[in-house]
Amino acid sequence: MSILDGWLDADVLLTDPPYGIDYQSGSRRADLAASILGDKDTAARDTALTAWGDRPALVFGTWRIPRPERTHTRLIWDTKGALGMGDLSVPWKPSDQEIYVLGKGFTGRRDSNVLTCPPVQSTAKNGRLHPHEKPIDLLWRLIDKCPAGVIADPFAGSGSTLVAAATAGRRAVGVELNERYCEVIAKRLAQGALNFGSAS
């Protein structure tokens, strides 16, 4: 089984797909891309979720775009006021992102749907590896309530979901089309914490 096919054999999906907002960063980032592949529309997200079916999934997104079909719960990631400038014509700046819950089987203590966690530093010189990198602490909290089994991330980016899964003692499989980010993922997982073999 190849990794490209293998993600569909996993047990739970945790992913940060291209939202479909055609994001273009206006900030000067010497080593970070201003945008990501496939972010012109929701086609990549929707194709992956159609293939995934009605199994358990946690999917990052935004209120600007229609939520994925079968979303039954919305989580809010409170970034503690650190999430860019937003619309400068209003006296509020964005400080949250949405996470959509699809499927069943999530477990654990019943908590608030608002998860407060600072984001990864905004520039590469401060350690950021990807323009949309998610913090490991936030991913741990999500993984903690995921059903047992292998975690899939078909939009792996810099591999944060894979790193979080490995450090949580969970097996995971990821797919990333950008070769540069594949190299970043390989470096982050260089200690061999993850088994990329059969998902069974």
Side-chain angles (χ1 to χ4, degrees):
M1 164 178 48
S2 76
I3 289 176
L4 287 174
D5 298 329
W7 75 271
L8 285 171
D9 293 325
D11 301 291
V12 60
L13 186 72
L14 173 53
T15 193
D16 182 19
Y19 295 175
I21 59 173
D22 196 16
Y23 175 81
Q24 298 288 324
S25 173
S27 58
R28 294 182 182 182
R29 297 175 167 182
D31 297 322
L32 291 177
S35 63
I36 58 171
L37 183 66
D39 198 33
K40 298 286 186 190
D41 54 40
T42 62
R45 178 199 76 179
D46 296 342
T47 298
L49 291 179
T50 297
W52 185 251
D54 61 359
R55 293 177 289 159
L58 295 169
V59 182
F60 283 84
T62 176
W63 60 270
R64 296 181 195 94
I65 300 296
R67 295 178 181 127
E69 290 184 27
R70 300 185 305 276
T71 296
H72 58 73
T73 303
R74 176 186 56 116
L75 307 178
I76 300 295
W77 170 29
D78 169 13
T79 65
K80 300 178 78 171
L83 199 64
M85 298 302 292
D87 182 349
L88 298 178
S89 70
V90 296
W92 302 278
K93 70 176 203 163
S95 63
D96 68 86
Q97 286 187 19
E98 295 186 338
I99 306 165
Y100 307 119
V101 184
L102 294 81
K104 300 188 183 304
F106 296 95
T107 62
R109 190 181 71 158
R110 191 168 170 83
D111 293 323
S112 170
N113 75 320
V114 178
L115 295 91
T116 302
C117 183
V120 178
Q121 290 295 319
S122 64
T123 61
K125 72 177 184 177
N126 290 329
R128 193 178 188 102
L129 301 168
H130 188 278
H132 301 287
E133 185 176 348
K134 298 300 183 276
I136 298 294
D137 288 349
L138 175 65
L139 296 167
W140 277 336
R141 292 171 67 184
L142 295 172
I143 288 170
D144 188 52
K145 295 191 183 296
C146 283
V150 179
I151 295 169
D153 185 357
F155 302 99
S158 63
S160 294
T161 298
L162 305 178
V163 171
T167 56
R170 298 286 296 264
R171 293 182 63 216
V173 60
V175 176
E176 174 54 46
L177 297 180
N178 185 313
E179 185 176 349
R180 176 179 173 217
Y181 292 126
C182 290
E183 292 170 1
V184 170
I185 292 169
K187 286 180 184 175
R188 293 181 81 184
L189 299 172
Q191 294 179 336
L194 264 184
N195 176 1
F196 283 100
S198 172
S200 58

